[in-house]
Amino acid sequence: MSDTRNPFSGLNRREFLAATAAAGAMAAGIPSAARAMPKRGGTLRYATRTDGRGLDPHRNFVYYVSNPMALTTMGLVDLGKDMSLQPGVAESWENSKDLKKWTFRLRKGAEYHNGRDIDAESVVWNVHRMQDPKIGHALHRSALADVERVESDGKHLVHFYLKKPSAIFPSDLVYYPVNLIAPDTPNADEHPYGCGAFKFKSWKRYAKTELVRFENYFETGEDGNPLPYLDAVEAFPKREDKVRLTALRSGEVDMIENMSYFDAPDFIKNESDKYNVFKSPQVGLAHFCIQAKSGPFAMSGGKDAKMLRQAVMHAIDKEAIHQAVYNGLGEKMDTFYASGSPWHLPDVKKGPEYDPEKTRFILRKLNMENMPIAVVSRQAYQYMRNGGEILHAMLLEAGFAATNEVFDNPVLQAKYEKDDYGIDSTASSFRFDPNGHYARWIHSAAPDNKRRTGFVNARCDELIDAAAATTDVNLRKEMYTEVDSIVNDECVFIYHHSVPLTGASVKNLKGYEPQLTGGPNYSGGGVRTAYFDS
């Protein structure tokens, strides 16, 4: 946008409007306590678990929870604290009756970081760039896979035409991963011009990311003032949990994204008077996947194979996992979404309860005592390894001749292709819409399902397809409740625990709470509303 400054006040137009509102409140005689405003300024020093591989937010996926560059991104659709969809660059959207056309109305006055207007033509350019297999990351291309074409209609309307009906399409356009950059960005690999609350300043991989406030960001706080309040964010990737926690305690940083499950309870108990503590119940879902494509657990094996899978389920003590792996943090699960999510399904029927005697009975009945079963897990994630270890112990106790091995991801991927495992201790990241989970892991046509578990159920396929074309949220929840009840009975995909995060900050950081998933960047909150009171 050309010139947003008011020549008489020295403020840009959003600051001018906010100042006018504050002056009006004073004139109206509102008490001073009610007029208290968050303080502007200051630099937040933030320790994260990970760093990005590059700066171009279309060539690389910018993980919204851990990558500090996520603070520079925004898309047509934003997220709320509870992970619900919220207006982003698009102030509203609507669909055609056949759910094959979606129209997004853009905010007037929204800008990219280089001052260019965010108009319909620039959105179309972004979509085409992300769809380009030479540029767009696979995650971006998959989010836009159902888009047949996209068209601008004047400056502020964008029409998406889909290959098939979809009730869940807006969730595909959330800023992670479908974020927008200025079309006239000279080189996004060196300096991306996004449209989020913070602008890029500098990046040294595995060392430090520097971001500064975007003065013309479109969002305002509850006080009527433009967001964000902070002047800058300095982010330091620190992979080890102990290193991040030490950095907080030593004063090297002001906030950490996460600490280990073993440190968190004592920290909460003994140091909550010194630090703010942030509990995020679900960054993902931990689950056990039985290899049911072939072998004794195969879906094609009929009643005996199902009984054998249920024997595995009877051996699993979710409370023991809750305590031993997660140290009492998070939630035991029988469905994908934790209780804090608007997509939580409280009426799902649970699968076979923990009862190792029933496991032993089934093994004797099937003449399968001391049946070999290989438990595998991924080296990179401690909770996956620990989950595999305790599952291994439970299976041994219940009468299986279980083994347990940990592999790097490439080796594990090869095992998936060859059906060379029995049970995988693994996890899935949080999905903004349930279809992201059910269509990926449960539907029989889903690539991940076909490659890893082999779960097949015609009724589940029917319900998942119908839910994806249904706009009524309550009806969709009923459908997914039936799906998960079937899943729990079949015992191929075994839900067992949410993957929680526990973060912390210095006491004088105010106005900050993370999302349900631990993400720091969301509508009306997170780092956008954070400030220092001293």
Side-chain angles (χ1 to χ4, degrees):
M1 198 157 268
S2 56
D3 184 10
T4 63
R5 308 296 298 186
N6 183 308
F8 302 104
S9 66
L11 304 175
N12 69 28
R13 63 187 176 197
R14 295 173 66 244
E15 292 168 336
F16 176 78
L17 291 173
T20 303
M26 294 172 63
I30 297 174
S32 58
R35 295 197 309 268
M37 301 290 185
K39 293 184 178 180
R40 301 185 71 80
T43 297
L44 174 67
R45 299 167 302 160
Y46 181 33
T48 63
R49 291 176 293 158
T50 60
D51 199 2
R53 294 182 177 182
L55 292 177
D56 188 328
H58 295 167
R59 296 182 187 275
N60 305 279
F61 76 91
V62 182
Y63 185 43
Y64 74 104
V65 175
S66 300
N67 188 333
M69 285 296 294
L71 299 177
T72 69
T73 64
M74 181 46 59
L76 293 173
V77 182
D78 200 356
L79 293 169
K81 184 181 179 183
D82 64 356
M83 307 306 293
S84 59
L85 303 187
Q86 300 293 327
V89 170
E91 62 183 12
S92 64
W93 51 86
E94 59 185 29
N95 57 274
S96 61
K97 287 185 179 180
D98 65 359
L99 294 172
K100 293 186 69 175
K101 177 184 176 184
W102 284 84
T103 297
F104 290 77
R105 183 176 295 277
L106 305 183
R107 295 177 185 273
K108 295 178 180 179
E111 298 179 11
Y112 293 105
H113 292 161
N114 64 356
R116 173 178 174 148
D117 283 354
I118 302 176
D119 58 15
E121 185 178 312
S122 71
V123 173
V124 172
W125 178 89
N126 272 273
V127 172
H128 288 163
R129 188 174 192 265
M130 285 181 272
Q131 289 178 316
D132 185 344
K134 295 179 181 179
I135 298 175
H137 188 277
L139 186 64
H140 299 66
R141 298 200 312 273
S142 66
L144 297 168
D146 288 337
V147 177
E148 185 172 71
R149 69 182 192 277
V150 56
E151 297 177 352
S152 60
D153 182 358
K155 287 196 66 175
H156 300 109
L157 290 180
V158 183
H159 304 298
F160 288 84
Y161 297 88
L162 309 184
K163 299 173 184 176
K164 60 183 180 181
S166 175
I168 56 90
F169 182 64
S171 67
D172 293 330
L173 298 186
V174 170
Y175 69 84
Y176 173 75
V178 181
N179 60 80
L180 307 177
I181 64 172
D184 47 353
T185 298
N187 188 339
D189 288 312
E190 295 181 358
H191 192 123
Y193 289 100
C195 53
F198 289 87
K199 297 188 296 186
F200 172 78
K201 181 179 179 182
S202 70
W203 177 59
K204 185 175 182 180
R205 192 177 184 193
Y206 300 135
K208 184 179 182 181
T209 301
E210 291 184 287
L211 312 174
V212 295
R213 179 201 295 136
F214 178 34
E215 295 288 354
N216 290 328
Y217 184 59
F218 61 80
E219 194 175 355
T220 56
E222 292 183 355
D223 59 357
N225 282 315
L227 298 178
Y229 298 124
L230 294 167
D231 283 338
V233 174
E234 295 178 352
F236 304 89
K238 299 179 184 296
R239 185 181 294 273
E240 298 298 324
D241 294 328
K242 289 285 188 184
V243 173
R244 286 193 303 278
L245 189 54
T246 298
L248 178 67
R249 286 170 168 157
S250 68
E252 180 185 345
V253 299
D254 306 303
M255 187 168 77
I256 59 173
E257 175 198 349
N258 186 39
M259 64 186 74
S260 79
Y261 298 135
F262 301 100
D263 287 326
D266 285 343
F267 185 90
I268 293 169
K269 179 180 178 181
N270 300 321
E271 300 187 58
S272 292
D273 59 331
K274 303 176 186 175
Y275 300 97
N276 299 318
V277 176
F278 309 118
K279 300 178 184 178
S280 302
Q282 188 183 14
V283 69
L285 172 86
H287 48 92
F288 299 130
C289 288
I290 292 180
Q291 193 280 101
K293 294 184 286 182
S294 60
F297 296 120
M299 292 293 294
S300 60
K303 292 182 179 179
D304 286 358
K306 180 176 178 178
M307 193 180 302
L308 198 57
R309 297 194 301 269
Q310 290 177 332
V312 171
M313 189 70 181
H314 281 305
I316 297 172
D317 183 352
K318 292 185 180 180
E319 178 61 27
I321 295 172
H322 180 59
Q323 297 300 332
V325 178
Y326 299 95
N327 215 355
L329 302 168
E331 300 178 23
K332 295 171 286 183
M333 303 286 278
D334 298 292
T335 183
F336 184 81
Y337 290 99
S339 58
S341 167
W343 285 108
H344 179 63
L345 306 175
D347 299 324
V348 166
K349 294 178 182 177
K350 298 181 179 181
E353 295 290 339
Y354 171 62
D355 189 341
E357 275 302 319
K358 286 187 178 179
T359 301
R360 287 186 276 270
F361 172 80
I362 292 171
L363 292 177
R364 288 194 299 269
K365 181 177 179 178
L366 297 176
N367 196 27
M368 298 287 281
E369 294 171 283
N370 294 313
M371 177 194 136
I373 182 170
V375 177
V376 299
S377 60
R378 187 173 170 182
Q379 174 67 38
Y381 297 96
Q382 184 175 359
Y383 67 89
M384 292 185 192
R385 302 195 306 269
N386 292 348
E389 289 171 3
I390 194 169
L391 174 62
H392 170 241
M394 291 171 180
L395 292 172
L396 285 174
E397 181 185 357
F400 286 95
T403 59
N404 180 45
E405 292 185 274
V406 177
F407 300 99
D408 288 331
N409 192 47
V411 178
L412 201 55
Q413 295 297 323
K415 285 186 169 291
Y416 296 154
E417 297 293 341
K418 298 176 182 178
D419 303 349
D420 186 19
Y421 70 101
I423 305 179
D424 183 18
S425 173
T426 186
S428 303
S429 59
F430 190 94
R431 304 295 173 184
F432 306 144
D433 184 276
N435 190 68
H437 165 64
Y438 295 100
R440 179 176 181 180
W441 280 100
I442 308 303
H443 198 289
S444 62
D448 274 1
N449 178 9
K450 292 168 71 174
R451 191 165 59 94
R452 295 178 66 171
T453 64
F455 177 76
V456 178
N457 186 281
R459 177 59 177 164
C460 286
D461 290 352
E462 176 187 347
L463 289 164
I464 293 167
D465 288 340
T470 301
T471 56
D472 186 315
V473 170
N474 290 328
L475 182 56
R476 292 185 72 201
K477 291 174 74 172
E478 289 177 13
M479 293 175 178
Y480 293 132
T481 295
E482 184 177 348
V483 170
D484 273 347
S485 297
I486 295 171
V487 169
N488 289 340
D489 179 64
E490 289 288 352
C491 302
V492 173
F493 187 100
I494 300 173
Y495 300 103
H496 69 82
H497 209 277
S498 67
V499 180
L501 297 178
T502 302
S505 79
V506 293
K507 275 290 187 181
N508 66 326
L509 182 69
K510 306 296 182 182
Y512 177 82
E513 287 187 18
Q515 290 171 298
L516 180 145
T517 60
N521 184 34
Y522 63 91
S523 178
V527 174
R528 300 180 203 175
T529 58
Y531 65 95
F532 291 103
D533 70 351
S534 61

